[in-house]
């Protein structure tokens, strides 16, 4: 058995007093008062979603794991990535991160 990784692209943005964390590769989102809490909630959601996709909904796993966020959220992710390369001013309002999950594959 070999192990690969599933890399989920994510970002968190400040909306008013709350932070919203979004997984653009799975169309999942979580909200909390701090960025750390929002990221933690999203991480838990991702792990549950992936686990359910490979266990409960195994026959639909491919479809569930290729469910992308709406175009507006993907564009927001890419805009934040672009702006982050050239300035640090966006850091107060938006942050990019990835969630990396190991996948065990049959040989």
């Amino acid at each position: 058995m070999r192990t690969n990784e599933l890399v989920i692209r994510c970002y968190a943005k400040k909306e008013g007093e709350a932070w919203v964390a979004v997984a653009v590769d799975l169309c999942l989102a979580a909200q909390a008062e701090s960025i750390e809490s929002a990221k933690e909630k999203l991480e838990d959601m991702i792990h549950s979603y992936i686990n359910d996709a490979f266990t409960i909904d195994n026959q639909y796993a491919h479809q569930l794991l290729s469910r992308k966020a709406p175009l507006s959220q993907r564009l927001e992710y890419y805009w934040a990535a672009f702006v982050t390369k050239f300035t640090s001013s966006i850091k107060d309002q938006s942050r990019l991160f990835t969630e990396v999950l190991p996948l065990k594959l049959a040989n």
Side-chain angles (χ1 to χ4, degrees), residues 61-72:
H62 176 72
Q63 293 162 318
L64 292 169
L65 297 177
S66 59
R67 185 181 85 159
K68 303 284 185 217
L71 180 60
S72 62

Side-chain angles (χ1 to χ4, degrees), residues 8 23-29 45 49 60-70 74:
I8 309 297
V24 297
D25 293 319
L26 295 175
C27 193
L28 297 174
M45 289 175 71
Y49 186 82
Y60 303 107
H62 176 72
Q63 293 162 318
L64 292 169
L65 297 177
S66 59
R67 185 181 85 159
K68 303 284 185 217
R74 293 191 315 249

